[in-house]
Amino acid sequence: MLDNMQNAEIIGKLTKEFNEDSVNYPLCTPGPQLKRFKAGLCEFVRVLVRLCQNSLIYDEYLFPSLVALLTGLSDSQVRAFRHTSTLIAMKVMTGLVEVAVLVSVQLQTSQRQHDMENSKGAHERAPGRLEDLQATISELQENRGELSCMMNTTFRGVFVHRYRDQLADIRATCIEELGMWLQKDPEDFLNDGYLKYLGWTLHDKQSPVRLRCVRALQGLYQEKEFIGRLEFFTSRFKERMLSMVLDKDPEVAVEVVNLLLLLQQTEDGLKEEECGHIYPLVYASNRALASAAGVFLFKKLKTVLASEQQSAKSGNAAFFQILISFFIQSEFHEHGAYLVDSLWAAARSELRDWDTMTALLLQESGLVYEEEGVLIELMMCAVRQAAQATPPVGRTQGRKNVTGKDKKVQEQDRRRITSHFIPLLPPLLAKYSADAGKVSLLLKAPLYFSLEMYSSAAGLDKHLDLLLSQVWGIIEKHTDVEVLEACATLVSTLCADRYTFSSRTNLAFSQLMDGLTECLSAYLGDLVQGTADDDDVYSAAAALKRIAALSCAMDPTGWKLFDSCLELLKSRMESREFDKELMVSALRCAAFYLMWAKVNAVNSTPAEVLIHTAFILLWMLRNSLTLGPSFTHLLGCSPPAHNNATTANPRRPCRGQEEVKRLKKDMRSFCRVCETCLCLNQNEIRDQAFELLCDLLLLYSASSARVEPELGALVHLPSDSLRSEMSAFLLDYVFSDCEDAELDVEGEEAMKITLLQKRRNQLAGYCKLVLFGVLDLTAATNVFKHYNKYFKDFGDIIKETVSKSKVIDPVRSAKTVCLCLQQMFSEMLTEERSRQDVGEIRDLAKRLAMSFGIDLKRARKPLVALHVEGVRFAFREPPEGDEQRSNVAFLEILSEFSFKLLQQDRVHLAAVLKSECPDAALSWPSVRLYQRSLEGRSSAKAKVTGERGDAPTAKRKRSTPQVGGSWLDGSSVHSSLPPPALASTAQRQPACRATESEPGSEDEFSLGSSMRRVKPCRHPSLSSSHTVPTVDTEDINSPLNLLSLIADDDDEEEDPDFKDYESDSDNDSAYTLPSTRHTSASALDELFA
């Protein structure tokens, strides 16, 4: 075939014989074996060129013919031919470049020898030596010319066309090989004529191509002798490289930062404003990118220190000074942990210099007030990083197995931290005891100690007494919530039974509780009688606040403060004197008493460390989504799916009946007080009462009695009035935008985020009560009906509630969904709202319909039950005086669930509709629309089947044109420099092709998300006993047998082989600052634990 046919005929024959229906060929088929094929093919080409470099490469037949064939195949419309031939041609080109470099070296050597020989006198020359050298030079020049001709042919015939091919792999191969040519043969290739292709490819739509381009540039900037030749290229494309630090692909962004680090080390370097593009990346959520930016920042700080020659400050003091200045100027003060984590790889030794940091803090002069606070924060973050070796929240490190060596280093760091800080922590606490922010940070240090050293190491036990004394003084001095919570966490840790000194710490803080209780008792009489002045109220509130904080870590039942707190609350409400600090602290103290009393009734060791931790998490993580799974398990509220599991905690017989009755009475009294608080016009008191009710009702629910049957007498169910008040609270203060509107006027963005987090926590607590059977499942209608309107703020919580309710009881859940829609429809009719509201209800129905998942067989019974309930509601007899059936329009809403039905269920529901619907109503538009929704699937399926028939196998599959927008509309990072037009010699369709797209690519570095603003409205209070249409109540309170997460993935991935030129520039940027709001799957698992 090669002897008798031209290249064009050979390519045409191969194209006809190739199976175009197959999109798989060795270079693109996944699998380790075929990956080895590509490596073997490349190695074969390299060896072929190397073996032929002295003979066959210059025969003017083999390689020119091979290059001509590869050039023709690289222009084929068959992707397999084009891809394979381009790869081989590029590898041949690389081999030719290597040979050309070798020939150039030989030519230079021969020329130098010829010149030396020619410079000798006639009597000193070797006979014939000059002629031999001249012949060698001529031969090498001829060989160099032939190589240049073949390289030029390959470059212009293959590379120039294929570097902008539709297939990203082809473009990536071309750019990768170009980078090798530039490094291997800079004399011929390192000029603007070839560098421009790298600059243009920086704008490529696909991240693998951009990645190869950036790595090629790294190889060039690593060579110092190349910097001069790259000067014009740098000035032309520096702006593009700086913008690529926000590339949507993390790997590309990391390599760009490394490239800019090489550029920074050149003579000209980067300007300070150009470095400003990289500095914020130390706070990025992607750890690899943050670490690369941390290396860049560390090198920059070291350069600044070297230029300033700060010899006055010894050791690392100057480094900490400049790092503190950077942290203050960056204005991300709450993200100190992320800065330390970013710098940890590059500045590990500096950040572990505890001696310098503590010396700077203890000296009287040197740092100003703000700098001291920053240094304390950075020091505590470094202590945590060294002791735990884990990234901060929101910044994952991937799958990394911790080796024994890593654990050994971590343990050594922990012991070094302990040895250094044990004697220095009391002086630090004494110096900053008056500053709430600084002392709350310092109180976290012992959490990372090896506390056993207090008793095992000689001479360190005396420092424990100093530490306890300082903590005692801090508690007596402060009423700030942050400081008291930090003290409570430390008290809980020091009182753990596993430490031999726990008895000393328990005794010390018990004495502190005695003093606080006496202080409260001194003012209690006047407070109850209403004769206390403002100073007395303040002192009592401060004592209660401290008692509530210590109750997180210590069992307060021994001090019997419940009756006093309850009496105080009742008297303040009767007198209508609502002191926020006093009443909130009294509510917390009373709630902690009830929690510890229940724990004492269940566990034989109520002071167990895990229980201490659970109570601390309850209050310290109040701003998070969940209480965590360990809390409900320890308190006997584990999900019913685990009821049969044996527990590790030993049990003891239930307390006396009198004590149990008293505890239940106390619980009932507290719920009545909280119910009254829900009606108050005091935000803090009302919110605290609702949150405590959610926790206590779950703790005293029927599910807790399943763990310990003898405690069934302690089960407390909310009264109808309490349910009604909690429902009204949900509608009025959670699903409401009144407070948001007020904050919009003032522009307090941080307050809006805090308020939203609080409302999310309240909604999560209410949903837990529904899922654990404390509230009837029909109470979830108040949640479901806001799914669409508040999807941005609460969508993840409501979606999880819907999903788990389906796991608990699928049929009841479906009926609750239907009941929710019926209530909204009835409200619409009652208020005589416009037809537009039907569309809003239909939108909600569409979203709820997607929650039934893709397993239609599993969803059969729930869907049928939902439709039956909906049809019966639509044809319910109208009230007296109404002649028209106004509920018939509900069928339009119900039709949104029809696409999930199986064919046999459609037939059944059509019969139900016929039996329920009067004959005269069959022609009504709503009925006909619902009938069409039941018939749609079968008719559509028949139509598709009829169209398919026995169609022959289709030819090569083409991608469809895009309807809205084009890949030309976006770029991974916006730039004023447009990329070159994409072209290919392959045959194309007239219509534009759809493009591949990777998720996400907007060049943003956002600090948060904007809040949705909706017109505020107040909803009427509803209780479960006053809903218009109701579902059957049997089995509503059935055991929650399966509380597992169901993830329904309705997305179908497209086959990437059917896509043409890909774009990854249409979505959001992957780099954002760490957020305090996490809605990941793990967080949702904890939310409904």
Side-chain angles (χ1 to χ4, degrees), residues 677-798:
C677 292
L678 293 179
C679 304
L680 300 179
N681 191 24
Q682 301 288 327
N683 292 342
E684 292 82 359
I685 300 174
R686 184 179 60 235
D687 293 343
Q688 187 70 81
F690 184 84
E691 294 170 2
L692 291 173
L693 278 173
C694 291
D695 296 335
L696 286 172
L697 289 175
L698 186 63
L699 179 58
Y700 282 83
S701 64
S703 59
S704 64
R706 297 190 186 100
V707 179
E708 185 63 56
E710 296 180 356
L711 296 177
L714 287 178
V715 173
H716 177 79
L717 297 178
S719 61
D720 291 340
S721 60
L722 180 57
R723 298 183 187 193
S724 178
E725 288 295 337
M726 295 185 71
S727 176
F729 178 92
L730 195 73
L731 297 173
D732 293 339
Y733 303 110
V734 176
F735 296 116
S736 173
D737 300 301
C738 298
E739 297 182 42
D740 281 345
E742 296 175 0
L743 291 175
D744 288 340
V745 176
E746 302 175 7
E748 299 179 2
E749 187 68 24
M751 288 298 296
K752 289 197 297 184
I753 297 175
T754 303
L755 176 62
L756 176 61
Q757 188 63 44
K758 181 182 68 174
R759 289 161 58 188
R760 285 173 58 84
N761 186 65
Q762 292 167 351
L763 177 60
Y766 186 87
C767 292
K768 280 187 178 183
L769 296 181
V770 174
L771 294 177
F772 279 86
V774 178
L775 297 178
D776 192 89
L777 191 57
T778 55
T781 57
N782 294 326
V783 178
F784 294 171
K785 66 176 61 175
H786 297 93
Y787 189 17
N788 211 35
K789 182 178 179 181
Y790 291 90
F791 183 78
K792 181 179 180 180
D793 293 340
F794 310 118
D796 54 339
I797 299 176
I798 301 177

Side-chain angles (χ1 to χ4, degrees), residues 598 602 633 635-647 651 698-715 717 771-774 808 1035-1041 1043:
K598 176 64 183 296
V602 175
H633 172 70
L635 300 184
C637 295
S638 55
H642 305 287
N643 284 343
N644 295 329
T646 58
T647 59
R651 304 292 181 183
L698 186 63
L699 179 58
Y700 282 83
S701 64
S703 59
S704 64
R706 297 190 186 100
V707 179
E708 185 63 56
E710 296 180 356
L711 296 177
L714 287 178
V715 173
L717 297 178
L771 294 177
F772 279 86
V774 178
I808 296 167
D1035 295 330
I1036 277 287
N1037 295 318
S1038 59
L1040 319 180
N1041 293 320
L1043 283 179

Side-chain angles (χ1 to χ4, degrees), residues 8-50:
E9 297 174 344
I10 295 173
I11 295 172
K13 182 176 179 61
L14 292 175
T15 303
K16 291 179 181 179
E17 295 180 355
F18 185 74
N19 182 14
E20 293 190 46
D21 293 334
S22 174
V23 296
N24 293 328
Y25 52 96
L27 289 182
C28 74
T29 304
Q33 184 176 358
L34 294 176
K35 287 183 179 179
R36 289 195 294 269
F37 167 80
K38 180 178 180 180
L41 177 62
C42 297
E43 180 65 16
F44 167 77
V45 175
R46 188 186 69 81
V47 173
L48 174 66
V49 177
R50 187 185 64 187

Side-chain angles (χ1 to χ4, degrees), residues 1059-1078:
K1059 302 174 185 177
D1060 290 331
Y1061 192 66
E1062 304 99 335
S1063 172
D1064 56 12
S1065 60
D1066 300 327
N1067 299 325
D1068 294 332
S1069 172
Y1071 309 118
T1072 58
L1073 292 182
S1075 173
T1076 56
R1077 176 177 173 184
H1078 303 287

Side-chain angles (χ1 to χ4, degrees), residues 53 62-63 88 94 147 165 226 317 322 356 422 466 511 568 581 672 718 732 813 865 1039 1042 1064:
Q53 63 180 345
L62 176 60
F63 276 84
I88 296 175
T94 302
L147 290 172
D165 192 273
F226 292 171
I322 193 171
T356 302
I422 279 182
L466 296 175
Q511 293 174 353
L568 177 60
E581 298 290 340
R672 283 198 295 265
D732 293 339
S813 176
L1042 294 172
D1064 56 12

Side-chain angles (χ1 to χ4, degrees), residues 829 876-887:
L829 295 179
R876 179 178 298 172
E877 290 295 331
E880 296 182 3
D882 292 348
E883 297 180 358
Q884 187 178 3
R885 295 177 181 266
S886 57
N887 290 350

